[in-house]
Amino acid sequence: MSTLVIVESPTKARTIRNFLPSTYRVEASMGHVRDLPSSAEEIPEAVKGEKWAQLGVNVEADFEPLYVIPKDKKKIVKELKDALKDATELILATDEDREGESISWHLLQILKPKVPIKRMVFHEITREAIRDALTHCRDIDNRVVQAQETRRILDRLVGYTLSPLLWKKIAWGLSAGRVQSVAVRLLVRRERERRAFRQGSYWDLKALLEKGKISFDAKLVTVGNVKVANGSDFDENTGQIISGRRVLLLNEEQARALLSRIQNKPWTVGNIEERPVTRKPSPPFTTSTLQQEANRKLRLGARETMRIAQSLYERGFITYMRTDSVHLSEQAIAAARSCVQELYGSEYLSPQPRKYTTKSKGAQEAHEAIRPAGSTFRTPQQTGLDGIDFRLYDLIWKRTVASQMADSRQTHVTVLTQVEDAGFRSSGKRIDFPGFLRAYVEGSDDPNAALEDQEVILPALKVGDKPNCKDLEAIGHETQPPARYTEASLVKMLESEGVGRPSTYASIIGTIVDRGYAKLIANALIPTFTAFAVTTLLETHFPDLVDTGFTSRMEQTLDEIATGEAKWLPYLQKFYTGETGLATQVKEQESQIDAKVARTVVLENISAKVCIGKFGAYLESESEEGLVKASIPQDLTPADLDPEQVEFLLKQKTEGPEKLGLHPETGEPIFVLIGSYGPYVQLGEVSETNKKPKRASLPKGTDKDSVTLDMAVSLLTLPRLLGTHPETGAKVQANLGMYGPYVVHDQGKVGKDYRSIKPPDDVLTIELDRALELLSQPKAARGRSKATTPLKELGAHPESGEPINVYDGRYGPYVKHGDINASLSKDESVENFTLQRALELLATKEAAGGGKSSSKSKKSTKTAAAKSETATEKTAAKKTTAKKTTTGAKKTTAKKTATATATKKKTT
């Protein structure tokens, strides 16, 4: 007797095999085994002549889908059929979400098993969970399958009906999507806001006050009992103060005059307010919150986050990663509370177990939050994971454990100080009890380091005190446009609007970037001119399809189909074939859409037309000579295109490129031009005999107007041959690339070794010796933050050789070795703290799973402590001067004069 178990992926299959008896055979379907045809060649011959065949849905036969087995899945299907021949039972163990339920249903349709069938579901891949799932199998939920099928048909109807219209009217290869087009519109709307934004400027004063040798900042808030204007008082569309606001707008002259008037006058504390604040921990992760936090903390895109999370799930480290739920099982709550008790102590445990409930009505994926798998949680250090796998698991572990910790108790302090008729405000924050912040701080991977910036301590003040003014300066500010969406903020917006499902956000954002609707630059999603054109067309002719409310209601209907509250067929009929259905709208609107208008992007303050062409966006303008066209550089976004750039690009076309001068050796002219990939210099003119003149891009951040003839000549020498490598004899060059200047050791077939060139080194002047020095250095790891200066260097670890230092942490000093941190007790001073004592603390922390030790330091630190008394005595003698900081005092790094010098600062 044998049982065939089918899951989606080989990794999942390998993990599950370890938990099942030898009579169970586990195979992978490699995802979906059937789908709607993706190309004409996949359409069966029997229906190729049907007008609906290309759509893949027979709209005239109750929207019957045409399912086919793709070429790359035929071998897998055959293997599954062969495996089923030897089985006496079939268990379908695909994921418990709509996609997983659908995969199981499709497998049944293809395999047509004649043996007993079971549907097994689980949310984590552990021995206990798999064995439990075997005893609680169920049937396939046909309502969930129907909801998934309806969603798939809807997406096909929208995509295959609107995309051909975009090809005809704008450009070939464009696509529209039920959720994708709404997301693109959000990006475009934000970019329009940025373009319409008008900058406002204002001035204020900032003081550095001192009381009892403790310094603190104070900011001007009132003059003569009238509020001083700040950024929130400006209208983004005019750059002026919002109508009706009674505020005092200071310019530079007024700010300096006020500064002079109060410069040496006495300061008096007028009011002190203390407000207790309690912060509760965030709930454990859902799919969308994991994507958001991984983007903020780890700089991971949504697709990369889901890829890593899927791998962790399939290997048994975390629970199912596609979920809308924040619920934790009783088992998970107990495991998290056990971690808190063991690692942080009972005072950090929430008095009662915290139970989170999902607020969104449509939560329909797995029924538990993303958390570490199992009835006991492995600490990140116990998993054996490394790299980005370790970091993502660490994030999930911390968030889950923190969700069962005590509240953080803080006191916010506001001090109002008066000097003549000018009122200043100082804000402080005292953390009375860190609570969950000991384990998890949003926006940072290192709680000890992150918490240093959480608290702002003010000196002990009382009403009537007269602090000294150590410094006073006038500061100019400029308001900033709305921030562009990041992957994290776009996911948050889509979820808050009820558009799409969290499990689909990664692929949606990926499609937006892949199809050229947005560029991901410095973690910001920047819409292209093509996105503007497509969004404008859809807003004008199909407004419902890009309306967040309309799309959200579609999601609600799909949820209702899954629960049996709504019928799928009437909904599809109304959406597609009704009087106001999509098919009817497209027929009516197609003749009304002028292709030339559709390809044109209208931008205010730009006299020329921006058009979408076969090779990207270009400018079009009428001149005395006729119609002039000029390509727009690919890195130039709609919000950044201004009249000056338009004038230069058109002038370059009509009058020819700007000539810098003649090359000193060849006598050929050197030009500065702007092309599709940005500004560059060119040697000679394009002609029949010189079709491809030598060109060189300008270094990133170099303005075309700052290019000199000497710089252009130097750039045209790139790549520069610096010499040969003394060990290999291969050439070493310096050049400019996509990511900036670099040196390269080119060994041909053996490979190329690159190193970035950083200031003060220059790609135009760097020599061979310096290049060899750079090449000898190890490649820098990405994402490493700058190390904090230690309070005290204790010496090297006796076994690993790595340094052991004392740092100033948020809740006092702590000792650090590798990735293990241990706090000093309240009665221990930094000055008298020894290496021996550090080793004892680190050993205790490591035994409790308190940090990820490096490969060199995995031996017991406790043993090392016993061996190191002699080393400790020697090292303790080497004392470094600790940085002396007054408790809670804020440090200023800028040198400031007694009389203030105005500085421009941008504030958001």
Side-chain angles (χ1 to χ4, degrees), residues 219-328:
K219 181 182 176 183
L220 178 70
V221 289
T222 61
V223 175
N225 293 322
V226 178
K227 178 180 176 292
V228 174
N230 59 34
S232 64
D233 295 310
F234 284 83
D235 186 330
E236 293 184 345
N237 298 314
T238 64
Q240 304 299 315
I241 295 295
I242 297 171
S243 177
R245 291 278 172 96
R246 185 176 175 270
V247 292
L248 174 63
L249 177 60
L250 295 178
N251 58 29
E252 181 177 0
E253 184 180 352
Q254 292 168 323
R256 290 183 180 282
L258 178 62
L259 184 149
S260 299
R261 180 161 62 83
I262 65 174
Q263 181 75 57
N264 298 310
K265 297 298 191 301
W267 294 64
T268 306
V269 175
N271 186 51
I272 300 174
E273 180 184 338
E274 293 196 357
R275 181 168 55 91
V277 175
T278 300
R279 280 185 58 190
K280 295 183 180 297
S282 298
F285 283 128
T286 61
T287 300
S288 65
T289 54
L290 177 63
Q291 290 174 2
Q292 292 169 47
E293 194 72 342
N295 185 251
R296 285 192 292 261
K297 284 189 175 184
L298 308 181
R299 286 292 186 247
L300 290 176
R303 276 197 291 197
E304 184 71 357
T305 298
M306 294 310 292
R307 183 191 66 77
I308 299 164
Q310 175 113 19
S311 173
L312 291 174
Y313 163 67
E314 291 178 347
R315 287 182 287 162
F317 290 108
I318 64 171
T319 53
Y320 191 52
M321 68 292 157
R322 291 189 180 93
T323 174
D324 292 346
S325 175
V326 292
H327 169 71
L328 286 178

Side-chain angles (χ1 to χ4, degrees), residues 384-459:
L385 294 168
D386 58 15
I388 197 63
D389 289 350
F390 174 90
R391 295 177 70 193
L392 192 66
Y393 179 86
D394 182 59
L395 198 65
I396 293 166
W397 184 89
K398 284 176 179 174
R399 177 89 163 215
T400 309
V401 169
S403 73
Q404 293 301 315
M405 294 179 72
D407 295 344
S408 169
R409 298 193 300 275
Q410 307 173 4
T411 300
H412 291 194
V413 183
T414 302
V415 176
L416 297 178
T417 313
Q418 198 75 20
V419 50
E420 296 222 323
D421 63 341
F424 286 73
R425 179 169 57 214
S426 302
S427 298
K429 178 165 63 175
R430 183 177 68 247
I431 297 184
D432 304 308
F433 176 66
F436 70 90
L437 295 177
R438 286 296 283 174
Y440 183 82
V441 183
E442 284 195 73
S444 175
D445 294 313
D446 184 353
N448 283 315
L451 291 174
E452 293 175 19
D453 299 324
Q454 296 278 315
E455 193 169 53
V456 180
I457 298 295
L458 298 177

Side-chain angles (χ1 to χ4, degrees), residues 759-778:
D761 292 321
D762 190 312
V763 67
L764 301 178
T765 59
I766 193 169
E767 298 295 338
L768 178 63
D769 289 346
R770 177 56 179 157
L772 293 174
E773 186 181 340
L774 291 177
L775 289 165
S776 68
Q777 296 172 4

Side-chain angles (χ1 to χ4, degrees), residues 98-327:
R98 288 179 186 166
E99 291 299 317
E101 207 72 14
S102 178
I103 291 171
S104 285
W105 179 81
H106 280 288
L107 284 168
L108 276 188
Q109 305 304 305
I110 292 174
L111 299 178
K112 295 181 173 56
K114 297 178 181 178
V115 296
I117 306 153
K118 293 180 180 178
R119 173 80 172 102
M120 183 172 81
V121 294
F122 42 85
H123 303 120
E124 58 185 345
I125 306 177
T126 61
R127 185 179 301 277
E128 181 182 354
I130 297 303
R131 293 294 176 92
D132 181 68
L134 275 175
T135 62
H136 295 89
C137 290
R138 59 168 174 79
D139 295 328
I140 288 177
D141 190 331
N142 287 312
R143 291 185 304 189
V144 173
V145 173
Q146 192 67 73
Q148 189 279 337
E149 186 171 68
T150 306
R151 180 188 296 272
R152 185 71 185 95
I153 292 171
L154 268 176
D155 289 339
R156 175 57 66 98
L157 294 176
V158 173
Y160 274 48
T161 304
L162 281 179
S163 297
L165 183 65
L166 298 180
W167 304 343
K168 294 176 186 176
K169 303 299 182 180
I170 299 178
W172 174 259
L174 297 178
S175 67
R178 187 176 56 85
V179 178
Q180 168 196 313
S181 297
V182 177
V184 171
R185 188 193 183 206
L186 288 172
L187 299 182
V188 169
R189 285 173 61 182
R190 178 59 54 85
E191 204 73 359
R192 287 172 179 163
E193 290 169 0
R194 288 174 62 86
R195 188 163 183 84
F197 173 80
R198 296 294 174 264
Q199 195 173 68
S201 61
Y202 59 98
W203 286 73
D204 59 19
L205 303 184
K206 181 181 178 183
L208 181 65
L209 305 180
E210 185 182 60
K211 173 69 176 175
K213 295 186 178 180
I214 297 178
S215 299
F216 59 101
D217 290 330
K219 181 182 176 183
L220 178 70
V221 289
T222 61
V223 175
N225 293 322
V226 178
K227 178 180 176 292
V228 174
N230 59 34
S232 64
D233 295 310
F234 284 83
D235 186 330
E236 293 184 345
N237 298 314
T238 64
Q240 304 299 315
I241 295 295
I242 297 171
S243 177
R245 291 278 172 96
R246 185 176 175 270
V247 292
L248 174 63
L249 177 60
L250 295 178
N251 58 29
E252 181 177 0
E253 184 180 352
Q254 292 168 323
R256 290 183 180 282
L258 178 62
L259 184 149
S260 299
R261 180 161 62 83
I262 65 174
Q263 181 75 57
N264 298 310
K265 297 298 191 301
W267 294 64
T268 306
V269 175
N271 186 51
I272 300 174
E273 180 184 338
E274 293 196 357
R275 181 168 55 91
V277 175
T278 300
R279 280 185 58 190
K280 295 183 180 297
S282 298
F285 283 128
T286 61
T287 300
S288 65
T289 54
L290 177 63
Q291 290 174 2
Q292 292 169 47
E293 194 72 342
N295 185 251
R296 285 192 292 261
K297 284 189 175 184
L298 308 181
R299 286 292 186 247
L300 290 176
R303 276 197 291 197
E304 184 71 357
T305 298
M306 294 310 292
R307 183 191 66 77
I308 299 164
Q310 175 113 19
S311 173
L312 291 174
Y313 163 67
E314 291 178 347
R315 287 182 287 162
F317 290 108
I318 64 171
T319 53
Y320 191 52
M321 68 292 157
R322 291 189 180 93
T323 174
D324 292 346
S325 175
V326 292
H327 169 71

Side-chain angles (χ1 to χ4, degrees), residues 51 161 542 581-592:
K51 61 180 181 181
T161 304
F542 308 97
L582 179 61
T584 307
Q585 288 185 53
V586 170
K587 286 178 184 176
E588 291 175 351
Q589 296 290 332
E590 183 171 352
S591 61
Q592 299 177 27

Side-chain angles (χ1 to χ4, degrees), residues 815-875:
V815 63
K816 183 179 183 69
H817 170 234
D819 289 325
I820 303 177
N821 298 342
S823 297
L824 278 65
S825 63
K826 292 180 180 178
D827 57 353
E828 289 181 303
S829 67
V830 175
E831 289 75 12
N832 298 324
F833 194 70
T834 65
L835 179 62
Q836 173 67 32
R837 176 59 181 151
L839 292 168
E840 292 171 0
L841 286 177
L842 291 166
T844 303
K845 188 65 178 287
E846 188 175 21
K852 183 187 180 187
S853 56
S854 66
S855 57
K856 292 181 181 179
S857 59
K858 286 185 179 177
K859 292 184 181 179
S860 169
T861 312
K862 205 167 190 176
T863 307
K867 293 180 180 179
S868 62
E869 251 178 90
T870 308
T872 307
E873 291 169 7
K874 292 179 181 178
T875 311

Side-chain angles (χ1 to χ4, degrees), residues 296-548:
R296 285 192 292 261
K297 284 189 175 184
L298 308 181
R299 286 292 186 247
L300 290 176
R303 276 197 291 197
E304 184 71 357
T305 298
M306 294 310 292
R307 183 191 66 77
I308 299 164
Q310 175 113 19
S311 173
L312 291 174
Y313 163 67
E314 291 178 347
R315 287 182 287 162
F317 290 108
I318 64 171
T319 53
Y320 191 52
M321 68 292 157
R322 291 189 180 93
T323 174
D324 292 346
S325 175
V326 292
H327 169 71
L328 286 178
S329 65
E330 294 296 330
Q331 167 186 285
I333 291 173
R337 293 178 70 81
S338 175
C339 286
V340 177
Q341 180 75 48
E342 182 180 344
L343 297 176
Y344 304 104
S346 56
E347 63 178 323
Y348 283 94
L349 196 62
S350 65
Q352 300 296 326
R354 295 186 189 272
K355 297 188 177 182
Y356 298 91
T357 55
T358 305
K359 294 179 182 178
S360 60
K361 178 188 174 185
Q364 45 76 33
E365 306 289 358
H367 304 300
E368 197 173 359
I370 303 171
R371 63 167 176 84
S375 55
T376 57
F377 292 168
R378 285 174 284 183
T379 65
Q381 295 72 33
Q382 293 168 340
T383 60
L385 294 168
D386 58 15
I388 197 63
D389 289 350
F390 174 90
R391 295 177 70 193
L392 192 66
Y393 179 86
D394 182 59
L395 198 65
I396 293 166
W397 184 89
K398 284 176 179 174
R399 177 89 163 215
T400 309
V401 169
S403 73
Q404 293 301 315
M405 294 179 72
D407 295 344
S408 169
R409 298 193 300 275
Q410 307 173 4
T411 300
H412 291 194
V413 183
T414 302
V415 176
L416 297 178
T417 313
Q418 198 75 20
V419 50
E420 296 222 323
D421 63 341
F424 286 73
R425 179 169 57 214
S426 302
S427 298
K429 178 165 63 175
R430 183 177 68 247
I431 297 184
D432 304 308
F433 176 66
F436 70 90
L437 295 177
R438 286 296 283 174
Y440 183 82
V441 183
E442 284 195 73
S444 175
D445 294 313
D446 184 353
N448 283 315
L451 291 174
E452 293 175 19
D453 299 324
Q454 296 278 315
E455 193 169 53
V456 180
I457 298 295
L458 298 177
L461 294 166
K462 60 182 184 295
V463 174
D465 279 351
K466 297 187 178 298
N468 297 321
C469 179
K470 296 180 65 179
D471 188 37
L472 184 63
E473 62 177 336
I475 302 177
H477 307 268
E478 292 175 342
T479 57
Q480 296 297 295
R484 287 180 171 119
Y485 284 106
T486 63
E487 289 196 42
S489 59
L490 182 59
V491 165
K492 186 175 182 179
M493 174 61 76
L494 290 170
E495 185 179 39
S496 67
E497 293 288 339
V499 175
R501 278 280 162 258
S503 58
T504 66
Y505 293 155
S507 62
I508 289 165
I509 293 173
T511 301
I512 288 171
V513 175
D514 294 344
R515 294 294 173 90
Y517 287 119
K519 293 183 178 182
L520 188 58
I521 301 174
N523 207 38
L525 288 162
I526 305 175
T528 61
F529 290 99
T530 302
F532 268 66
V534 170
T535 297
T536 300
L537 184 149
L538 295 177
E539 285 175 331
T540 305
H541 300 281
F542 308 97
D544 280 349
L545 292 180
V546 285
D547 178 67
T548 53

